[in-house]
């Protein structure tokens, strides 16, 4: 199983030096993928959860590509309606080429109504716009020799039925975020049914799960995958592999922006996970 890390590119403790240290720490621990989030206008609804500074993902990943050598780089998730699809297609193709083919593009529809308004994008059309933009991006890439030489995996996020259908129709993988294992199992069965219905291949399962280690076990059906003792987390990863996940993203950000002032707590949790997993690589 390949493991990645969702790195906070926002918050009061985040600056270029911290981002560089995040990248070097995650790569040094042997993780396979580093991903960052996406917001452009830090409107009040965004700032409540992800306060400034918020580092734009394409420029951030371009810089991190230069301070890393092996680890893959990506977005979880790029909000597709915020940018012209031809701009996204060009930036993604260039970043993939400049990084030596290391880009993974996770995409989603977005949720911050005030940010949509600030950008002049109709919130009510975000699903339809996402579909239109993804098709336009794929068309642009189909005519781009650089893209064909180094294909960019397209992970479609969204926990809803619409997100599952979008992943089947337009993605290489489905990228659900922070769900209990019981809901993931049901959603994977739904994804297979949708793929059969549409006559499409079943996308890969590439979930992003919480990483929150506790001293005592967490019980209950609503426990998020990746939350609990290290033994529970290791078991969750095994269960996800049985579900077909060959790549899993770990998200050590629990929701308090002040966590970004103390990244060493997350780094220790990530080190603990690596220490409890086999070291051989696929």
């Amino acid at each position: 199983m390949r493991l990645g890390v969702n790195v906070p590119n926002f918050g009061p403790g985040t600056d270029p030096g911290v981002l560089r240290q995040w990248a070097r720490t995650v790569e040094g621990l042997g993780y396979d993928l580093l991903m960052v989030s996406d917001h452009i206008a830090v409107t009040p609804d965004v700032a409540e959860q992800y306060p400034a500074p918020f580092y734009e993902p394409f420029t951030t990943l371009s810089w991190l590509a230069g301070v890393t050598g092996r680890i893959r780089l990506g977005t979880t998730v790029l909000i597709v309606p915020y940018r012209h699809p031809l701009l996204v297609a060009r930036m993604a193709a260039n970043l993939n080429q400049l990084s030596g083919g290391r880009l993974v593009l996770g995409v989603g529809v977005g949720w911050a109504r005030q940010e949509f308004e600030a950008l002049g994008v109709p919130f009510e059309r975000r699903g339809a716009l996402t579909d239109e933009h993804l098709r336009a991006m794929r068309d642009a890439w189909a005519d781009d020799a650089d893209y064909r030489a180094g294909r960019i995996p397209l992970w479609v996020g969204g926990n809803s039925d619409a997100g599952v259908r979008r992943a089947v129709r337009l993605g290489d993988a489905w990228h659900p975020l922070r769900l209990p294992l019981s809901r993931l199992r049901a959603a994977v069965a739904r994804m297979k049914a949708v793929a059969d219905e549409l006559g499409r291949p079943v996308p890969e399962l590439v979930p992003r799960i919480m990483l929150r280690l506790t001293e005592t076990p967490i019980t209950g059906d609503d426990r998020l995958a990746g939350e609990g003792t290290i033994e529970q987390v290791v078991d969750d990863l095994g269960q996800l592999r049985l579900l077909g996940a060959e790549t899993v993203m770990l998200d050590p950000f629990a929701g308090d922006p002040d966590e970004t002032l103390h990244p060493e707590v997350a780094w220790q949790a990530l080190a603990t996970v690596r220490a409890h997993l086999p070291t051989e690589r696929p």
Side-chain angles (χ1 to χ4, degrees):
M1 176 180 280
R2 293 178 292 273
L3 291 178
V5 179
N6 185 43
V7 169
N9 52 318
F10 55 83
T14 300
D15 60 28
V18 170
L19 285 168
R20 180 174 56 243
Q21 189 60 39
W22 262 105
R24 289 177 173 169
T25 298
V26 169
E27 185 172 54
L29 286 171
Y31 284 92
D32 302 283
L33 177 60
L34 178 160
M35 287 184 141
V36 296
S37 304
D38 180 32
H39 284 287
I40 296 176
V42 186
T43 48
D45 51 354
V46 173
E48 185 176 351
Q49 299 183 50
Y50 310 110
F54 202 110
Y55 290 83
E56 193 276 332
F58 278 111
T59 48
T60 300
L61 292 174
S62 296
W63 181 64
L64 292 179
V67 299
T68 56
R70 172 194 58 81
I71 198 165
R72 303 196 76 187
L73 305 162
T75 54
T76 174
V77 293
L78 188 82
I79 304 172
V80 174
Y82 284 176
R83 301 167 179 84
H84 194 286
L86 296 184
L87 175 63
V88 174
R90 175 55 53 210
M91 289 193 296
N94 288 168
L95 176 52
N96 190 54
Q97 185 180 37
L98 291 167
S99 66
R102 289 192 278 154
L103 183 64
V104 175
L105 199 63
V107 297
V109 301
W111 57 269
R113 182 181 290 270
Q114 293 173 356
E115 188 174 21
F116 273 85
E117 293 172 353
L119 295 170
V121 180
F123 182 80
E124 293 75 14
R125 293 200 63 236
R126 65 194 187 281
L129 286 171
T130 296
D131 291 351
E132 293 170 13
H133 286 203
L134 291 178
R135 291 190 183 98
M137 289 160 54
R138 284 202 176 278
D139 288 345
W141 286 333
D143 295 329
D144 189 314
D146 290 337
Y147 173 71
R148 291 195 300 272
R151 197 173 187 286
I152 304 166
L154 192 62
W155 296 3
V156 177
N159 297 344
S160 66
D161 186 67
V164 170
R165 297 184 73 86
R166 182 173 294 110
V168 171
R169 288 186 290 108
L170 299 169
D172 301 303
W174 178 48
H175 185 45
L177 310 181
R178 294 191 175 201
L179 289 176
L181 276 172
S182 58
R183 284 190 60 191
L184 271 172
R185 291 190 183 97
V188 167
R190 173 61 179 154
M191 180 172 64
K192 292 176 179 177
V194 170
D196 288 343
E197 172 195 333
L198 299 179
R200 299 280 300 168
V202 178
E204 292 182 49
L205 172 66
V206 286
R208 188 178 100 198
I209 67 172
M210 168 77 83
L211 176 59
R212 186 172 76 87
L213 297 180
T214 61
E215 294 291 332
T216 57
I218 297 177
T219 58
D221 292 339
D222 58 347
R223 180 182 71 86
L224 297 177
E227 187 177 39
T229 63
I230 185 60
E231 291 78 16
Q232 286 182 298
V233 172
V234 170
D235 184 67
D236 288 344
L237 293 173
Q239 294 297 318
L240 289 169
R241 189 166 195 168
L242 291 175
L243 275 177
E246 296 183 1
T247 301
V248 175
M249 295 297 302
L250 302 179
D251 188 352
F253 179 67
D256 182 355
D258 284 346
E259 293 173 41
T260 62
L261 296 166
H262 306 286
E264 62 277 1
V265 176
W267 298 341
Q268 182 57 55
L270 292 166
T272 299
V273 171
R274 288 303 310 171
H276 283 78
L277 294 174
T279 56
E280 59 268 22
R281 307 181 69 82

